[in-house]
C-alpha cells in the first residue's frame, strides 16, 4: 500500500487496519479535545502524534498509522486524511476546517476500477504552512515550507516554499 504500487484494498490486513481506524474515528466524533480520554484515543489512532499537535473532531482517516505530524500541528474541525500513502505534515502547520488530504488513486482503465485495487501516493506538507478551510490536496503532492493555501483551493501539483497559492487548480499568486 505504501509502495506506490497497485494494491488490493480488500486484503484482510488492510481491512483490519481500516476497521480499527473507523472505530476510533467514530469514538472521536462524540468527543472534544477536553474529554479525559480524548488524547488516548487520538494517540491510538495516530501513533507517535506529538503532545503539542492538536486535532479537533470530527476527524476521519483511513488508517491513522500513515499520518506523521510535526510539533505544533493544528488540524481544525472536519478534516479527512486518506492515508493509504504516508501523509507528513511539518512542524507548526495549520490545517483549516474541512480540509481533505487524499493519497489514493484509482486506475484510469474503467475495467480495472471495478476491482478492489488502487495505488496511493504520499503527501508532504512543509513546516509553518497554513491551509485555509476546505483545501483539497491530491495524491503525491509536495508542498514546501511557509506556504499559504487559500481557502477552497485544490492542490494538484508540487508547490515550492514561500508562496501563496489559490484556485482550482491552485497556482502561485504571490511570492512571500
Amino acid at each position: 500500500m505504501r509502495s506506490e504500487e497497485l494494491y488490493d484494498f480488500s486484503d484482510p490486513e488492510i481491512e483490519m487496519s481500516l476497521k480499527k481506524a473507523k472505530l476510533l474515528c467514530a469514538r472521536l466524533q462524540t468527543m472534544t479535545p477536553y474529554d479525559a480520554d480524548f488524547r488516548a484515543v487520538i494517540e491510538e489512532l495516530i501513533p507517535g502524534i506529538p503532545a503539542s499537535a492538536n486535532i479537533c473532531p470530527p476527524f476521519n482517516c483511513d488508517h491513522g498509522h500513515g499520518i506523521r505530524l510535526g510539533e505544533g500541528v493544528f488540524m481544525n474541525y472536519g478534516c479527512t486524511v486518506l492515508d493509504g500513502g504516508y501523509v507528513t505534515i511539518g512542524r507548526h502547520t495549520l490545517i483549516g476546517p474541512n480540509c481533505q488530504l487524499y493519497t489514493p488513486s484509482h486506475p484510469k482503465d474503467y475495467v480495472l476500477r471495478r476491482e478492489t485495487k488502487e495505488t496511493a501516493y504520499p503527501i508532504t506538507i512543509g513546516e509553518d504552512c497554513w491551509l485555509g478551510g476546505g483545501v483539497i490536496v491530491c495524491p503525491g503532492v509536495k508542498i514546501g515550507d511557509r506556504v499559504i493555501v487559500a481557502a477552497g483551493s485544490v492542490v494538484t501539483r508540487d508547490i515550492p516554499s514561500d508562496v501563496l497559492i489559490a484556485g482550482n487548480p491552485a497556482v502561485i499568486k504571490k511570492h512571500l
Side-chain angles (χ1 to χ4, degrees):
M1 178 170 72
R2 305 250 159 82
S3 68
E4 300 183 29
E5 294 181 14
L6 200 63
Y7 66 92
D8 188 337
F9 56 83
S10 69
D11 175 271
E13 183 180 358
I14 294 173
E15 282 190 342
M16 281 182 29
S17 177
L18 289 164
K19 179 180 178 181
K20 178 182 177 183
K22 287 182 185 350
L23 291 170
L24 290 168
C25 286
R27 286 182 61 196
L28 286 174
Q29 306 320 321
T30 60
M31 301 177 90
T32 73
Y34 304 105
D35 290 327
D37 55 345
F38 173 81
R39 198 68 199 179
V41 174
I42 203 76
E43 288 175 359
E44 185 177 352
L45 179 63
I46 304 171
I49 184 174
S52 63
N54 290 297
I55 296 175
C56 296
F59 173 79
N60 288 291
C61 65
D62 275 344
H63 302 278
H65 53 77
I67 301 170
R68 300 184 284 193
L69 304 178
E71 293 288 335
V73 167
F74 177 77
M75 296 182 81
N76 215 323
Y77 305 104
C79 289
T80 299
V81 179
L82 303 186
D83 60 319
Y86 285 112
V87 174
T88 303
I89 302 173
R91 297 179 314 143
H92 308 292
T93 287
L94 307 175
I95 308 291
N98 300 310
C99 284
Q100 302 165 59
L101 311 178
Y102 303 146
T103 67
S105 182
H106 297 282
K108 291 178 180 48
D109 182 288
Y110 73 94
V111 175
L112 285 176
R113 275 198 309 272
R114 295 176 184 168
E115 298 178 23
T116 56
K117 294 183 179 169
E118 65 187 13
T119 51
Y121 300 100
I123 290 173
T124 302
I125 300 171
E127 296 183 357
D128 295 299
C129 293
W130 173 24
L131 277 64
V135 166
I136 296 172
V137 180
C138 293
V141 167
K142 293 176 185 160
I143 297 174
D145 296 330
R146 299 169 303 278
V147 172
I148 298 172
V149 183
S153 295
V154 179
V155 187
T156 60
R157 59 182 163 262
D158 292 354
I159 303 296
S161 295
D162 299 304
V163 295
L164 182 147
I165 63 172
N168 180 3
V171 296
I172 296 173
K173 298 291 187 177
K174 180 178 184 180
H175 291 271
L176 302 173

